[in-house]
């Protein structure tokens, strides 16, 4: 592992010790799972809309280069300026150059996972531009100088008390209160001033429609509308997979997204933005820029199997249902995208040398696959990445970087033992005789016995028992 | 930057052409088959929107300006932002002027560009009224297309948003509304679905209304 490698094992065991954190996650995820189940109680409807949603995403991927060109052409026709970025550095530079041209000092941001991927706030700060998160959850996380722990509910790891303390500590005019309505009102007062004075608004894109050159944005708070309407310049950033072919593809995807994410039939606001302010209109930005980011996605796209990762509509349902995520929370993944989707996306985007541990943060229970509204075979991809991590290959960057001689030898020994009846008999007989004598503190065994009883070997092997019953060995 | 454009598109094309993908047909039947009858549609819209704190005011074509005035007066609303150049705006200003109701809210026209109007908009306006293109039974959503006469911020910045909804402009699904009206032939600058007042659950999953946008959404049903 390189020195920038992320240590999930260490971070997750620290998270497991934190009772407060575990309680916060447990409560939130249990609630989300049961509410979501109510939204999809009609199985026939779920199957129908899910199949439709998956087909919309697959159709978009099947024509991805053409649809991106069409999106660009239609956006341009509508007056939206389109930019392309191969890397996050390039995307940041594009955003900065727009800001510098309009001499921007203050930016208000709606929630955008791609901007997290770009570490845009830190980048802008370095260049003297204040970039303020305006989604309440993101705002809380930003005040706390932390990272979001969930892609839909960024501050889900904190409870009201913790947020109350944070506000008191970080917001000048704040009085200590644990009343959620009052806390929300305080944020409203602070952020409204910023909306009114910001030079630029930044947003993500839930879906971009090639047919009409329309950017769709779903949200509950209205901060997305504020950020994309009040400042004179709007910059939208999106991963290149976010395109859909037709306007009529939007409703099924939004329905799957909002019901899977927060169990709402729809969000409070669905914004469809197709152009900057037109002649005669009294508000809205005078300029809209769309930054289309690759950051490794075109590499993912080239592989038939991994390509399915790009179907994702970022609903977060796989996290809410993942037995690993719900225990350790999002921060243990140390990534903008945590949970099952993060475990397959991050290694593909940032390379296995850095993120090769994440595909192991999985019990292979398949809960994410059952819940995924666009039917991504997450677990299959997880398995594929595990094997790419230890074998040379060219599909994913850093393939083979996690290869270990010791592990390879163990597997080799295992396969040789299983391939030879004689070796197998000898090994099992040995374990039946001596296995129980092995102390629980042995390396490798220790990690297991820390929290579980030591496995006990039977004193006779299955083969021996079978023989006694008159079943011959083959 | 066009270097990146060509590199990205070239890479995508090469990747796809080496391993083409045949997607399954998109079958929209699941959306096409969602149907409610007339009365049920409105009932459903009300039920769904009330569940997320939307309020309803029932009125008629003849009475709505007076009913809105009486409602806002009773609420102690100081003023109402409106679009003077719309037909609805015309009725509001002429009928409110004629009614002579004392102590009622003042009508404020959204007549200037936001640049000259921003301070007042953010700091001194209680309510805004807009028309809608209808509503959707499946999700309980209003369809709002801002225009030069009814700008975008009218339904966002004031603390209360009143939305006129004609009781005969109801759709079953979002998909039905957009396909029947051929939205794809020409989208406006900004098209919106609005399904309640602004809200958040970012603090420990506890719902709070009015985080950035309107704290109250009042749908004025006009029959
Ligand atoms: S992988 Fe599926 S369940 Fe997870 S966020 Fe993406 S779409 Fe949602």
């Amino acid at each position: 592992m390189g020195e920038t490698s992320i240590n999930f094992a260490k971070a997750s065991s620290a998270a497991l010790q934190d009772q407060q954190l575990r309680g916060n996650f447990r409560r939130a995820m249990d609630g989300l799972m049961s509410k979501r189940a109510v939204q999809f109680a009609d199985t026939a409807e779920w199957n129908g809309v899910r199949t439709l949603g998956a087909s919309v995403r697959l159709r978009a991927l099947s024509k991805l280069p053409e649809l991106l060109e069409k999106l660009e052409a239609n956006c341009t026709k509508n007056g939206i300026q389109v930019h392309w970025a191969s890397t996050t550095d390039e995307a940041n530079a594009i955003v900065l150059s727009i800001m510098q041209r309009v001499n921007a000092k203050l930016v208000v941001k709606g929630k955008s996972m791609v901007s997290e991927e770009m570490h845009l706030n830190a980048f802008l700060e370095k260049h003297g531009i204040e970039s303020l998160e305006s989604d309440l959850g993101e705002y809380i996380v930003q005040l706390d100088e932390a990272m979001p722990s969930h892609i839909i509910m960024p501050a889900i790891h904190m409870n009201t008390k913790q947020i109350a303390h944070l506000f008191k500590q970080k917001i000048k005019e704040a009085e200590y209160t644990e009343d959620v309505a009052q806390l929300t009102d305080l944020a409203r007062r602070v952020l409204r001033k910023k909306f009114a004075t910001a030079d630029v608004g930044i947003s993500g894109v839930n879906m971009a429609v090639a047919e009409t050159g329309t950017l769709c944005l779903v949200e509950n708070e209205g901060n997305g509308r504020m950020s994309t309407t009040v400042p004179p310049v709007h910059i939208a950033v999106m991963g290149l997979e976010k395109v859909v072919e037709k306007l009529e593809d939007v409703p099924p995807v939004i329905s799957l997204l909002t019901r899977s994410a927060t169990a709402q039939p729809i969000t409070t606001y669905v914004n469809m933005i197709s152009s900057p302010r037109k002649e005669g209109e009294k508000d809205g930005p005078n300029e809209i820029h769309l930054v289309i980011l690759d950051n490794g996605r075109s590499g993912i796209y080239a592989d038939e199997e991994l390509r399915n990762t790009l179907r994702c509509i970022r609903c977060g349902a796989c996290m809410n249902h993942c037995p690993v995520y719900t225990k350790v929370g999002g921060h243990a993944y140390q990534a903008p995208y945590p949970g099952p989707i993060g475990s397959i996306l991050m290694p593909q985007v940032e390379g296995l040398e850095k993120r090769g541990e994440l595909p192991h943060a999985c019990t292979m229970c398949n809960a994410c696959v059952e819940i995924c509204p666009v039917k991504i075979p997450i677990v299959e991809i997880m398995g594929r990445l595990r094997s790419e991590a230890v074998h040379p290959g060219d599909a994913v960057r850093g393939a083979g970087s996690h290869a270990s001689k010791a592990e390879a030898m163990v597997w080799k020994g295992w396969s040789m033992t299983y391939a030879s009846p004689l070796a197998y008999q000898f090994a099992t007989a040995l374990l039946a005789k001596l296995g129980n004598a092995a102390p629980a503190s042995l390396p490798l065994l220790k990690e297991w016995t820390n929290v579980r009883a030591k496995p006990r070997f039977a004193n006779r092997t299955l083969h021996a028992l079978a023989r006694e019953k008159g079943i011959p060995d083959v | 930057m066009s270097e990146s454009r060509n590199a990205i598109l070239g890479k995508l094309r090469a990747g796809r052409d080496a391993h083409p993908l045949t997607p399954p047909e998109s079958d929209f039947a699941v959306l096409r088959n969602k149907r409610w009858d007339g009365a049920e549609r409105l009932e459903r819209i009300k039920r769904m929107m009330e569940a997320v704190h939307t309020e309803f005011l029932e009125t008629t074509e003849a009475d709505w300006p007076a009913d809105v005035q009486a409602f806002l007066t009773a609420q102690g609303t100081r003023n109402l932002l409106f679009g003077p150049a719309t037909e609805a705006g015309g009725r509001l200003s002429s009928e409110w002027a004629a009614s002579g109701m004392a102590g009622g809210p003042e009508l404020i026209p959204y007549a200037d560009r936001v640049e000259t109007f921003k301070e007042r908009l953010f700091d001194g306006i209680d309510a805004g009224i807009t028309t809608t293109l209808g509503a959707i039974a499946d999700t309980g959503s209003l369809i709002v297309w801002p225009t030069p006469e009814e700008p975008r911020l009218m339904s966002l910045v004031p603390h209360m948003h009143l939305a006129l909804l004609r009781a005969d402009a109801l759709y079953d699904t979002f998909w039905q509304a957009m396909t029947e009206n051929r939205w794809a032939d020409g989208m406006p600058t900004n098209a919106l679905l609005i399904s309640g007042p602004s809200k958040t659950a970012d603090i420990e999953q506890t719902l709070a209304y009015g985080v950035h946008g309107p704290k109250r959404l009042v749908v004025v049903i006009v029959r």
Side-chain angles (χ1 to χ4, degrees), chain B residues 58-96:
Chain B
E58 301 256 359
T59 177
T60 61
E61 197 54 61
D63 293 337
W64 74 259
D67 284 349
V68 165
Q69 190 181 25
F71 171 78
L72 291 176
T73 307
Q75 301 289 320
T77 309
R78 290 172 305 168
N79 50 35
L80 178 69
L81 184 65
F82 80 119
T86 61
E87 194 213 320
R91 280 195 62 192
L92 269 179
S93 50
S94 64
E95 293 185 33
W96 281 25

Side-chain angles (χ1 to χ4, degrees), chain B residues 158-211:
Chain B
H159 296 237
M160 189 194 303
H161 172 209
L162 291 98
L164 293 174
L165 172 65
R166 310 272 159 194
D168 55 5
L170 306 183
Y171 300 91
D172 292 309
T173 60
F174 180 18
W175 179 81
Q176 186 201 8
M178 73 163 52
T179 49
E180 263 179 25
N181 295 303
R182 307 175 60 100
W183 288 14
D185 291 349
M187 287 290 276
T189 302
N190 179 222
L192 286 164
L193 302 187
I194 299 181
S195 308
S198 150
K199 69 166 186 276
T200 182
D202 275 341
I203 302 181
E204 212 181 325
Q205 298 268 289
T206 310
L207 264 178
Y209 286 89
V211 50

Side-chain angles (χ1 to χ4, degrees), chain A residues 55 59 62 66 69 72 90 134 137 160 185 188 192 221 225 248 268 272 274 277 281-283 307, chain B residues 4-5 13 16 19 26 110 114-115 148 153 155 157 175 189 191 195 198 200 202 204 210 212-213 215:
Chain A
S55 82
R59 174 156 43 82
S62 75
E66 292 77 16
E69 281 171 330
E72 180 187 42
E90 196 179 344
S134 62
T160 310
D185 219 53
R188 175 187 176 97
R192 278 209 155 204
E221 297 187 359
R225 290 187 65 194
E248 72 165 339
T268 303
M272 287 162 274
S274 302
R277 187 191 304 195
E281 289 177 339
K282 297 185 185 70
D283 56 22
R307 176 187 286 170
Chain B
S4 290
R5 174 190 188 276
R13 243 187 208 105
R16 195 266 324 271
H19 303 283
S26 293
Y110 195 145
V114 67
E115 284 76 9
L153 292 172
S155 57
V157 180
W175 179 81
T189 302
S195 308
S198 150
T200 182
D202 275 341
E204 212 181 325
H212 298 299
K215 295 185 176 196

Side-chain angles (χ1 to χ4, degrees), chain A residues 21 73 110 147 154 223 261 271 294 296 327 445 458 470:
Chain A
L21 184 84
M147 269 174 79
N223 68 311
N271 301 288
D294 181 344
K327 302 289 183 304
L445 195 56

